[in-house]
Amino acid sequence: MSLRNVAIIAHVDHGKTTLVDQLFRQSGTFRDNQRVEERAMDSNDLEKERGITILAKPTSIEWDDHKGHKTRINIVDTPGHADFGGEVERILSMVDGVILLVDSAEGAMPQTKFVTGKALALGLRPIVVVNKVDRSDARIQEVLDEVFDLFVSLEATDEQLDFPVLYASGRNGYASTDENAREGTLTPMFETIVSHVPEPTVDVDAPFTFLVTLLDRDNFLGRILTGRVNSGTVRLNQPIHALDNDGKIVETGRASKIMAFRGLDRVPVDEAKAGDIISMAGLTVATVSNTIADTSVSEPLHAQPIDPPTLSMRFAVNDSPMAGREGSKVTSRMIRDRLLREGESNVAIKVTEAADRDSYEVAGRGELQLGVLIETMRREGFELGISRPRVLFGEDENGAKTEPYETVIIDVDEEYSGTVVEKMNVRKAEMTDMRPSGGGKTRITFSAPSRGMIGYHGEFLSDTRGTGIMNRLFEKYGAHKGKIEGRKNGVLISNGSGEANSYALGPLEDRGILFVGHGEALYEGMVIGENAKTDDLEVNPMKAKQLTNFRASGGKDDAIRLTPPKKMTLEQAIAYIDDDELVEVTPKSIRLRKRFLDANERKKASRAKVAA
């Protein structure tokens, strides 16, 4: 049986995971009567809910061409969002070819550019699949021209520019070399993979070497290392050691478990040969980018460097008056163990303990990545206090302060482009390109400091009436841009504890936008709304009407009608808060609060900040 290793590269929501579902079905991976969920590769709840791929996952299908020749195709489904780019960069070292999937209307997008650039630099030859060709707004030829221009700008070789093109509909399960085809099967895709992607060029007779690309943890097996066998053969219980990039031995041990990918499952095997993608257990310290090898090997394999984190948040014990009411995991020890476990399995995240030992600094690649971690933890029963995200500054060779920049690509209706450019200028972004993208839309490209983009997405959606699309991608560390304006409005702060009362909330609506409704439990220092002015305002949202025997004159006994409160999602809350505020996250609630709940403490902190 011959072998092919291929990665699928695509932007968020271009249909990658749906296409893999169809590849499973048509290769016979699933039984005819097997119940299979949609988007089978999106294995956790958050991936299914958000419609995004968060974790890179290898899988395997067997294809029989009915001429007596079988091929095992190892497919790696990769994340499309830049925040999870740490996964993408490394898995490309496992494969020998890539399928670039582009939407027939949207074309090549920023994350596509980022990952494709890495793939072309590694010398991988692409297969271009134009997906969703049955869309009413498809512009197939223009998209192909965009892809070709993209490859040229990424300095693709002549061999890479001579790419095969397939026209497909992942949802309907067909692919064809004819752009007008609207039915069929995925057989042309299987044939193109087998003919275009080379077999792994490996030495089966050399000593065993294996580059760790992905890291996972199992409660029974411990640390599970995934990657491609680079050379030789590994057998069950074979003595092995792990080498770092400098060739130093990290640890020695045995291959206590070897697992190969068969469909969606990891199946135990007794041995694995060069070229195959496997998972292995038996080592306790080895991590991503380490080389696992036979004990006779002393030279490590070249590993793709991991991009540094650019953003950090403070995860603290929830110390609000409502702590412990809704969650089961509230102690600093539990939070510490969970974060260290995450830092162990996710190399794009760095966890450090703060001086007060009750909070932890968690650094990652973006707001979405850290937001996914927080959402996962609250579903596991954790209660947390989360600080505003802050960027991680650096220094250049002259000792000058630097900060992370992002390439921001915005697709927006022409009528809103002026507002977007104005708002981005305030955030110290520089416009690098602006062009019409068809259908009355404009595509604007900016180079913006990451600091300025924190909290902008919600405002952007409001400014564009929900029609704008924004894509962000880490670009570089550049010169520090100086002070960037933050939130303009102050907040309304509860001055006591109790239940919110509509009698008190009614008049407060004139002061700004409320975040709480009648009957909600409140405490002193909790943020209950946004002030229409720039300063913070302490209010009493629990004041009840004095009850008497007398009716009010002039018909003032009418019921109070409140506007429904503004409820924020986790990402919106994290982006909204200021430096002196926290988001209280529990399994059932998301509340905003001041870091210091007592008004006197807040005044002291404010005076100390001014003095500093």
Side-chain angles (χ1 to χ4, degrees):
M1 183 183 291
S2 60
L3 183 66
R4 300 290 186 277
N5 295 322
V6 64
I8 298 190
I9 297 172
H11 186 74
V12 180
D13 202 31
H14 278 199
K16 162 172 41 70
T17 310
T18 305
L19 181 69
V20 173
D21 279 2
Q22 290 289 351
L23 290 172
F24 280 146
R25 286 191 170 86
Q26 296 190 25
S27 66
T29 302
F30 299 145
R31 300 188 312 274
D32 290 341
N33 64 344
Q34 186 173 345
R35 182 181 176 277
V36 183
E37 291 188 47
E38 277 190 36
R39 304 201 316 275
M41 288 291 281
D42 283 350
S43 54
N44 70 40
D45 290 341
L46 274 176
E47 289 184 316
K48 290 186 190 301
E49 285 170 24
R50 292 167 183 246
I52 59 172
T53 302
I54 294 170
L55 304 168
K57 294 174 283 285
T59 187
S60 163
I61 54 179
E62 284 185 17
W63 183 64
D64 187 347
D65 64 2
H66 303 296
K67 296 176 185 173
H69 188 259
K70 287 189 177 181
T71 305
R72 170 166 293 119
I73 303 171
N74 286 323
I75 298 176
V76 186
D77 184 19
T78 64
H81 198 285
D83 279 18
F84 310 107
E87 298 270 346
V88 176
E89 296 155 44
R90 300 187 308 276
I91 62 97
L92 292 173
S93 63
M94 292 198 290
V95 299
D96 305 292
V98 292
I99 295 173
L100 174 61
L101 194 71
V102 291
D103 188 294
S104 64
E106 293 182 17
M109 298 291 268
Q111 276 88 317
T112 318
K113 178 181 178 181
F114 163 68
V115 188
T116 306
K118 301 264 184 186
L120 295 176
L122 289 169
L124 300 175
R125 291 176 62 200
I127 298 169
V128 175
V129 178
V130 181
N131 196 26
K132 305 184 185 180
V133 289
D134 49 352
R135 280 183 65 156
S136 59
D137 57 347
R139 45 185 196 95
I140 295 169
Q141 285 309 316
E142 290 105 304
V143 165
L144 277 176
D145 290 343
E146 285 174 17
V147 170
F148 189 85
D149 292 344
L150 172 65
F151 285 2
V152 171
S153 69
L154 294 172
E155 300 178 358
T157 63
D158 290 345
E159 189 183 27
Q160 288 171 329
L161 287 171
D162 186 21
F163 52 82
V165 179
L166 292 170
Y167 307 94
S169 170
R171 184 191 293 172
N172 297 315
Y174 64 80
S176 174
T177 52
D178 175 14
E179 70 173 273
N180 298 311
R182 293 295 178 268
E183 59 181 9
T185 65
L186 290 173
T187 298
M189 185 173 289
F190 288 115
E191 290 172 344
T192 306
I193 291 171
V194 171
S195 63
H196 190 74
V197 177
E199 283 203 66
T201 49
V202 289
D203 186 352
V204 181
D205 300 320
F208 163 68
T209 57
F210 168 91
L211 184 66
V212 182
T213 309
L214 298 170
L215 187 59
D216 196 3
R217 187 168 187 82
D218 185 277
N219 290 336
F220 302 102
L221 299 174
R223 192 170 274 220
I224 295 177
L225 311 168
T226 299
R228 185 175 79 161
V229 181
N230 203 62
S231 63
T233 302
V234 61
R235 295 177 177 83
L236 207 58
N237 292 320
Q238 177 179 328
I240 51 175
H241 64 195
L243 305 169
D244 64 14
N245 290 340
D246 300 323
K248 292 177 187 166
I249 295 176
V250 177
E251 68 170 320
T252 56
R254 291 180 179 274
S256 62
K257 194 91 169 177
I258 303 168
M259 293 167 284
F261 292 90
R262 301 292 180 261
L264 290 170
D265 303 318
R266 279 196 289 219
V267 178
V269 292
D270 293 332
E271 66 172 32
K273 290 186 166 58
D276 207 359
I277 294 173
I278 62 163
S279 293
M280 185 190 303
L283 298 176
T284 57
V285 181
T287 186
V288 168
S289 300
N290 286 170
T291 299
I292 313 300
D294 187 84
T295 49
S296 62
V297 175
S298 57
E299 279 292 313
L301 299 170
H302 172 69
Q304 190 79 10
I306 297 158
D307 277 1
T310 58
L311 199 75
S312 80
M313 290 182 196
R314 186 167 159 264
F315 285 49
V317 172
N318 181 19
D319 60 357
S320 89
M322 294 185 190
R325 292 188 189 180
E326 297 174 353
S328 56
K329 298 171 182 173
V330 296
T331 65
S332 60
R333 183 184 58 80
M334 285 176 164
I335 294 169
R336 174 182 176 276
D337 291 348
R338 176 65 179 84
L339 289 175
L340 291 178
R341 207 161 66 240
E342 184 70 26
E344 184 182 296
S345 62
N346 187 343
V347 290
I349 280 180
K350 298 281 179 288
V351 181
T352 50
E353 194 166 4
D356 61 9
R357 302 189 67 83
D358 264 352
S359 63
Y360 303 87
E361 203 71 30
V362 182
R365 292 281 287 272
E367 290 166 80
L368 179 63
Q369 185 191 36
L370 295 176
V372 164
L373 170 60
I374 297 164
E375 182 63 40
T376 305
M377 288 178 69
R378 75 183 282 234
R379 291 181 184 206
E380 292 169 2
F382 283 90
E383 288 195 9
L384 302 162
I386 306 292
S387 74
R388 176 179 167 79
R390 62 179 187 84
V391 299
L392 300 173
F393 297 108
E395 281 188 359
D396 62 15
E397 58 271 14
N398 302 320
K401 194 176 185 181
T402 60
E403 65 177 319
Y405 281 66
E406 298 178 5
T407 300
V408 184
I409 297 184
I410 290 174
D411 285 292
V412 67
D413 291 344
E414 286 170 7
E415 60 188 292
Y416 303 127
S417 57
T419 307
V420 168
V421 170
E422 187 184 324
K423 291 284 178 77
M424 292 293 284
N425 282 341
V426 170
R427 289 171 159 73
K428 303 288 178 78
E430 291 178 15
M431 186 166 68
T432 56
D433 188 32
M434 185 174 183
R435 62 178 68 177
S437 55
K441 288 192 175 288
T442 304
R443 178 168 290 184
I444 317 170
T445 308
F446 296 93
S447 175
S450 301
R451 199 163 39 107
M453 299 307 297
I454 294 172
Y456 175 53
H457 195 253
E459 194 179 327
F460 167 75
L461 289 176
S462 300
D463 290 342
T464 61
R465 305 293 185 272
T467 59
I469 298 171
M470 180 197 295
N471 292 288
R472 295 160 54 179
L473 180 66
F474 174 72
E475 181 186 327
K476 62 179 181 182
Y477 265 84
H480 186 257
K481 283 276 193 177
K483 191 169 187 283
I484 294 176
E485 241 183 71
R487 191 181 72 204
K488 292 185 177 70
N489 294 63
V491 290
L492 303 176
I493 309 162
S494 173
N495 66 1
S497 301
E499 281 190 4
N501 191 300
S502 56
Y503 179 75
L505 294 178
L508 289 178
E509 285 195 334
D510 298 335
R511 298 279 190 178
I513 301 165
L514 296 180
F515 301 156
V516 298
H518 174 75
E520 286 189 41
L522 309 177
Y523 53 81
E524 183 183 359
M526 182 171 158
V527 173
I528 64 148
E530 180 180 282
N531 192 3
K533 297 182 178 177
T534 55
D535 54 336
D536 293 345
L537 183 65
E538 287 182 43
V539 295
N540 180 4
M542 293 143 304
K543 184 171 66 177
K545 183 180 181 182
Q546 295 299 317
L547 298 177
T548 70
N549 275 346
F550 298 99
R551 289 175 62 92
S553 61
K556 290 185 180 175
D557 277 341
D558 291 348
I560 294 165
R561 288 181 176 83
L562 294 174
T563 307
K566 180 182 177 181
K567 294 294 182 186
M568 292 193 189
T569 63
L570 177 61
E571 274 89 3
Q572 286 170 338
I574 290 168
Y576 180 81
I577 58 173
D578 225 329
D579 292 333
D580 65 336
E581 294 160 3
L582 298 173
V583 179
E584 180 188 349
V585 178
T586 75
K588 294 180 183 174
S589 308
I590 293 168
R591 303 183 188 97
L592 306 187
R593 51 162 288 192
K594 286 293 182 180
R595 191 183 293 273
F596 297 106
L597 299 178
D598 183 72
N600 295 320
E601 290 285 330
R602 287 199 295 276
K603 284 171 188 167
K604 277 186 203 169
S606 179
R607 281 198 294 269
K609 188 177 177 183
V610 170

